[in-house]
């Protein structure tokens, strides 16, 4: 299954457009990476213009991806369709999109105030002032120089709705918690739980702003397009997953009646196996944040091989070697594939093992659902890769990881030990 045969479909992180057909293929070692970055610098404000076939006009990474989706096949150097006129993010493409990162709108609001930040600009003058603030930052200077005020309003509102949604989620935790606490409806352990959850919600908000700040910093020595740090993105996603998992677990523990399972040796092994598999799913999802943060889904768009190889030769291109795991897009994509396949294999093994253990009906449904969601999630991941990360598919894959984690937690809750 493969959509291209080239060594590497795309330039490294700096550009999400196809590598030039007649240029030496990238990804053939450190040389490709260095050469790419040097040329990019010489090519203009877009760090990749030395290589890519796109017009010398600012565009966002994702609008580049759209062009690719439209049939550009740079890796083979064959048909190259002339791209449509460049636009930053056309308002006409305003489908409902869940993630600021996926819509490239996350850096449109350049400051953060808990209360003041709730009031959007109202008059033309306020909007112009807000736009002028955005123009001081690298995303505008490097990527969106031709952005109009109308286009800015669109990405601004996308980010604004994400931040307002965050505030609403915070209130949905804090207000009922305060009310239940006052009424004396919370047991002592539940008070601890509620405090921890509310603390995590606040931490999530702060981490979000800390992440955004990394995308606003000027990096004069960097040739990359402005983006948030992949480390902070992973921390933000990781903490969101922890908050989500803790909330779901608390809810399931309260709502699902527990089974009185006989504590056999087999059940103990199954429970341990299920815990390990859930941890693996969590790690896979976290590694997905690095793929997303580095746009590493665009370096090799073939499956199961990466280009023509099972193990790409630029896997350890960075030095020191450890740096590759978090900063080399090839390695990051490779790791995510391996972890994804390992997760689905572990889930299949868990399913097969669970058939040997006498389980109540609900636990059986949970383990079967886990296998089904895992297959769907891997299918979505592979499709996202082969189709060059179209936004709706990438967003569905992102949601799929939550569905998978939720099903795994449900299974754990079905298998949990009954209190003595
Ligand atoms: C258990 C299996 C998997 C899980 C839980 C998982 C989870 C994730 C998560 C959480 C992200 C980050 C999404 C975002 O923040 O936008 C991601 C990204 C991605 N995953 Fe997976 N994934 C799995 C398997 C796979 C597989 C097998 C492939 C392909 C071979 C794949 C390809 C991708 C790609 C291309 C992206 C980047 C999408 C983007 O740039 O928005 N995934 N994955």
């Amino acid at each position: 299954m493969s959509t291209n045969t080239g060594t590497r479909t795309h330039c490294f992180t700096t550009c999400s457009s196809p590598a030039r057909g007649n240029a030496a293929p990238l990804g053939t070692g450190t040389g490709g990476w260095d050469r790419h970055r040097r040329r990019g610098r010489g090519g203009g404000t877009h760090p990749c213009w030395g290589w890519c076939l796109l017009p010398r006009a600012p565009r966002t990474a994702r609008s580049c991806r759209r062009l690719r989706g439209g049939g550009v096949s740079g890796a083979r150097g064959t048909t190259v369709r002339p791209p449509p006129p460049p636009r930053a993010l056309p308002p006409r493409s305003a489908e409902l999109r869940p993630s600021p990162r996926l819509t490239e709108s996350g850096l449109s609001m350049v400051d953060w105030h808990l209360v003041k930040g709730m009031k959007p600009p109202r008059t033309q003058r306020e909007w112009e002032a807000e736009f002028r603030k955005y123009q001081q930052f690298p995303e505008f200077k490097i990527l969106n120089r031709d952005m109009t005020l109308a286009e800015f309003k669109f990405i601004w509102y996308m980010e604004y709705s994400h931040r307002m949604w965050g505030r609403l989620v915070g209130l949905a935790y804090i207000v009922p918690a305060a009310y239940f606490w006052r009424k004396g409806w919370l047991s002592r352990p539940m008070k601890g739980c509620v405090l921890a959850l509310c603390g995590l919600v606040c931490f999530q908000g702060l981490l979000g702003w800390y992440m955004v700040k990394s995308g606003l910093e000027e990096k004069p020595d960097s040739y990359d397009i402005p983006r948030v740090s992949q480390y902070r993105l992973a921390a933000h996603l990781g903490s969101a997953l922890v908050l989500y998992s803790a909330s779901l677990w608390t809810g399931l523990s309260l709502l699902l009646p527990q089974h009185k399972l006989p504590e056999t040796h087999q059940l103990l092994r199954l429970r341990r196996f299920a815990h390990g598999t859930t941890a693996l799913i969590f790690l896979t999802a976290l590694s997905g944040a690095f793929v997303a943060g580095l746009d590493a889904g665009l370096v090799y768009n073939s499956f199961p091989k990466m280009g023509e190889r099972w193990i790409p030769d630029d896997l350890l291109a960075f030095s020191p070697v450890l740096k590759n795991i978090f900063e080399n897009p090839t390695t990051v994509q490779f790791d995510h594939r391996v972890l994804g396949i390992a997760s689905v294999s572990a889930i299949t093994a868990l399913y097969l093992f669970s058939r040997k253990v006498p389980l109540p009906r609900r636990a059986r449904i949970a383990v079967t659902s886990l296998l089904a969601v895992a297959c769907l999630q891997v299918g979505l991941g592979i499709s996202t890769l082969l189709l060059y990360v179209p936004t709706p598919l990438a967003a569905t894959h992102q949601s799929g990881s939550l569905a998978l984690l939720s099903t795994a937690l449900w299974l754990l809750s079905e298998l949990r030990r009954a209190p003595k």
Side-chain angles (χ1 to χ4, degrees):
M1 211 193 319
S2 165
T3 58
N4 60 57
T5 54
T7 313
R8 183 177 191 141
T9 323
H10 299 103
C11 313
F12 257 117
T13 49
T14 44
C15 179
S16 47
S17 55
R20 200 174 225 160
N22 57 0
L26 292 167
T28 48
T30 10
W33 167 233
D34 289 343
R35 188 172 62 235
H36 170 62
R37 287 166 83 105
R38 277 201 302 277
R39 289 232 198 168
R41 188 53 145 197
T45 36
H46 189 301
C48 199
W49 280 326
W51 285 104
C52 69
L53 294 159
L54 300 172
R56 295 166 69 96
R59 65 179 66 244
T60 63
R62 225 157 252 280
S63 50
C64 282
R65 294 176 201 180
R66 272 155 211 271
L67 298 180
R68 270 197 323 282
V72 180
S73 89
R76 286 188 203 139
T78 51
T79 35
V80 176
R81 211 182 280 171
R87 302 192 58 146
L89 189 66
R92 71 168 178 269
S93 65
E95 318 108 32
L96 237 191
R97 296 159 180 178
S99 154
R101 191 193 60 73
L102 288 170
T103 57
E104 310 230 328
S105 58
L107 302 177
S108 57
M109 290 176 81
V110 295
D111 43 27
W112 189 76
H113 299 283
L114 185 60
V115 181
K116 265 204 295 182
M118 291 200 291
K119 184 177 152 268
R122 297 228 173 100
T123 62
Q124 181 70 7
R125 188 185 282 191
E126 282 175 358
W127 271 113
E128 279 164 8
E130 189 68 24
F131 193 23
R132 267 198 303 280
K133 273 200 277 176
Y134 174 64
Q135 288 170 353
Q136 309 306 312
F137 288 89
E139 185 173 80
F140 176 83
K141 290 186 197 163
I142 297 172
L143 284 177
N144 291 340
R145 270 187 174 280
D146 68 345
M147 181 176 262
T148 62
L149 183 62
E151 287 166 348
F152 171 69
K153 280 186 186 175
F154 172 75
I155 60 166
W156 193 92
Y157 269 121
M158 290 298 292
E159 174 63 5
Y160 176 75
S161 50
H162 178 71
R163 291 190 187 189
M164 290 304 282
W165 184 253
R167 286 180 174 92
L168 203 66
V169 170
L171 285 179
Y173 274 82
I174 292 165
V175 173
Y179 181 75
F180 284 22
W181 196 297
R182 248 187 95 86
K183 289 273 180 191
W185 292 344
L186 300 178
S187 63
R188 221 178 127 79
M190 193 44 73
K191 277 183 181 166
C193 237
V194 159
L195 272 184
L197 288 176
C198 291
L200 262 176
V201 170
C202 300
F203 179 67
Q204 182 67 17
L206 292 177
L207 208 54
W209 173 237
Y210 180 63
M211 175 184 74
V212 168
K213 263 176 75 175
S214 65
L216 298 173
E217 286 159 9
E218 299 265 2
K219 293 174 191 137
D221 297 334
S222 167
Y223 302 102
D224 268 356
I225 57 167
R227 64 170 91 240
V228 299
S229 144
Q230 72 273 25
Y231 295 102
R232 295 190 197 181
L233 182 73
H236 189 55
L237 179 75
S239 123
L241 292 180
V242 168
L243 172 63
Y244 174 78
S245 305
S247 309
L248 185 66
W249 183 258
T250 312
L252 289 176
S253 319
L254 289 172
L255 295 176
L256 282 186
Q258 259 170 313
H259 307 288
K260 292 241 171 340
L261 300 173
E263 292 291 320
T264 59
H265 183 61
Q266 269 187 327
L267 180 68
L268 286 181
R269 281 182 63 196
L270 182 70
R271 195 182 281 141
R272 225 176 293 141
F273 195 175
H275 275 104
T277 307
T278 309
L280 185 59
I281 294 170
F282 188 89
L283 189 67
T284 308
L286 214 54
S287 77
F290 282 90
V291 182
L294 285 171
D295 275 337
L298 294 163
V299 285
Y300 286 97
N301 296 87
S302 52
F303 190 87
K305 287 188 180 174
M306 292 176 79
E308 279 162 356
R309 291 165 179 270
W310 290 101
I311 299 180
D313 52 9
D314 52 341
L315 197 68
L316 298 178
F318 289 14
S319 166
V321 171
L322 258 185
K323 200 173 171 191
N324 288 284
I325 300 176
F326 304 109
E327 297 187 16
N328 180 347
T330 299
T331 321
V332 164
Q333 193 196 103
F334 180 81
D335 290 348
H336 187 61
R337 288 173 182 233
V338 170
L339 284 169
I341 303 300
S343 296
V344 81
S345 310
I347 291 167
T348 310
L350 181 73
Y351 171 78
L352 294 175
F353 183 56
S354 75
R355 291 175 64 93
K356 296 189 193 143
V357 186
L359 288 176
R361 191 164 166 268
R362 254 189 5 228
R364 265 220 186 283
I365 298 175
V367 74
T368 312
S369 313
L370 184 64
L371 183 60
V373 180
C375 294
L376 201 67
Q377 174 67 353
V378 168
L380 279 170
I382 295 171
S383 315
T384 306
L385 193 73
L386 295 183
L387 297 172
Y388 299 94
V389 196
T391 304
L393 210 52
T396 314
H397 182 58
Q398 194 183 43
S399 316
S401 59
L402 269 192
L404 191 61
L405 195 62
S406 310
T407 320
L409 288 169
W410 173 31
L411 176 63
L412 285 186
S413 143
E414 295 295 348
L415 296 180
R416 75 185 187 274
R417 205 185 298 265
K420 292 191 181 125

